[in-house]
Amino acid sequence: MRRINVIGIGAGDPDQLTLQAVKALRATDVFFLLDKGEAKADLVGLRRDILAAHVPEGTYRLVEARDPERDRTAGGAAYSPAVGDWRSARAGIYERLIAEELGEDETGAFLVWGDPALYDSTLGILEEVLARGTVTFEYTVVPGISSVSALAARHRTGLNRVGGPVQITTGRRLAEGFPRDADDVVVMLDAHQAFRRYADRDADDAGDIDIYWGAYLGTPDEILVSGPLAEVAPRIERLRAQARARKGWIMDTYLLRRRREDGDGA
């Protein structure tokens, strides 16, 4: 039976690859790479560099396909259907790649940025492919170092404080309101910089908040900013805009931390 490895490759630093991931790479016959266009060519380049560093040349094949475009203008009630359409289009590509490019007794792999279990669609898409019933395979998931872990490490801070929870959410959710039950909130997939809403100390749901922000974590282009949100938010906005204009894309993550009156630390 065909086998698929879903391998987390870390947040950007090739040294973040785990030993388990290296073993899975070396047990793979075919690597599937999705081309996201010229602006994001360095994402494919990083994957190629990882293979060159860890897998003997001539022991594997590379198969590339163009990633379908997603409607990023859809908002509100249209957001979920737009994401669903994009995932189904991706499932069709995965289905074709596995059926046509992978032999019955071969192992294929998808190299997933960060960790496959955290805000990544690969596992859900593979389940959709299996549900279609046109091709069968088994798959294994290899965890990776997520941008969340990398962010905390680079800022030398913990994600939670003593006895307290940490919540991981998206920019869309943060824009609807600061989570009620967590003073430490990690935000991902924030294309519209929802943190700006909380930079005003006079806002009802703001208060004294610190931010730990990072973009392109683990790469040579890494940018880090931390400090009181009200003070550093303009700088983050400026750096983010400059970086996006320079590279054509940006991936950033941040931790928002309400200051406690008791001064409790991590």
Side-chain angles (χ1 to χ4, degrees):
M1 178 179 286
R2 296 178 176 93
R3 295 172 299 278
I4 299 292
N5 288 326
V6 183
I7 306 173
I9 59 172
D13 186 344
D15 288 343
Q16 291 174 350
L17 210 65
T18 67
L19 294 177
Q20 184 183 15
V22 172
K23 289 179 181 178
L25 291 175
R26 293 177 178 174
T28 296
D29 302 298
V30 183
F31 292 96
F32 301 117
L33 302 181
L34 292 187
D35 179 9
K36 296 177 180 291
E38 184 177 351
K40 295 186 177 180
D42 42 358
L43 298 180
V44 173
L46 173 66
R47 288 165 168 83
R48 289 180 176 273
D49 290 344
I50 286 174
L51 295 179
H54 296 286
V55 188
E57 186 177 358
T59 63
Y60 61 89
R61 305 193 309 278
L62 281 177
V63 176
E64 293 192 42
R66 184 60 185 247
D67 199 22
E69 293 290 336
R70 199 181 95 195
D71 182 6
R72 298 187 180 276
T73 64
Y79 177 79
S80 291
V83 173
D85 291 343
W86 171 77
R87 285 178 59 144
S88 292
R90 239 196 194 189
I93 294 172
Y94 283 20
E95 182 180 39
R96 177 183 61 79
L97 291 175
I98 294 169
E100 298 179 4
E101 303 290 349
L102 192 64
E104 287 290 344
D105 296 319
E106 288 188 316
T107 299
F110 293 94
L111 307 184
V112 176
W113 197 270
D115 184 277
L118 184 62
Y119 284 112
D120 183 79
S121 61
T122 305
L123 302 183
I125 291 173
L126 289 176
E127 285 294 332
E128 181 175 336
V129 173
L130 287 172
R132 294 180 179 185
T134 58
V135 60
T136 58
F137 54 87
E138 297 176 343
Y139 71 91
T140 299
V141 181
V142 178
I145 294 176
S146 70
S147 62
V148 176
S149 297
L151 177 77
R154 293 296 290 128
H155 281 290
R156 298 181 296 178
T157 188
L159 293 174
N160 67 291
R161 286 173 284 183
V162 176
V166 59
Q167 181 165 328
I168 301 176
T169 189
T170 65
R172 291 181 68 249
R173 293 294 186 186
L174 183 69
E176 296 170 359
F178 202 96
R180 292 179 177 271
D181 300 324
D183 289 331
D184 299 280
V185 179
V186 175
V187 184
M188 305 177 70
L189 307 177
D190 185 5
H192 302 292
Q193 303 168 86
F195 61 82
R196 292 180 296 186
R197 169 177 173 175
Y198 307 96
D200 181 2
R201 286 196 176 97
D202 295 327
D204 292 339
D205 50 1
D208 290 330
I209 298 175
D210 292 321
I211 186 170
Y212 300 83
W213 177 83
Y216 312 113
L217 291 161
T219 74
D221 297 304
E222 180 179 87
I223 312 170
L224 299 171
V225 176
S226 64
L229 179 58
E231 296 178 13
V232 302
R235 182 182 175 209
I236 293 173
E237 290 184 65
R238 183 176 66 256
L239 290 173
R240 194 180 188 279
Q242 292 171 348
R244 186 178 180 85
R246 182 174 65 253
K247 290 182 65 66
W249 63 277
I250 190 167
M251 285 197 297
D252 57 339
T253 306
Y254 56 90
L255 167 67
L256 295 180
R257 170 160 290 159
R258 284 192 189 275
R259 291 182 212 144
R260 295 179 176 175
E261 292 183 4
D262 59 10
D264 184 23

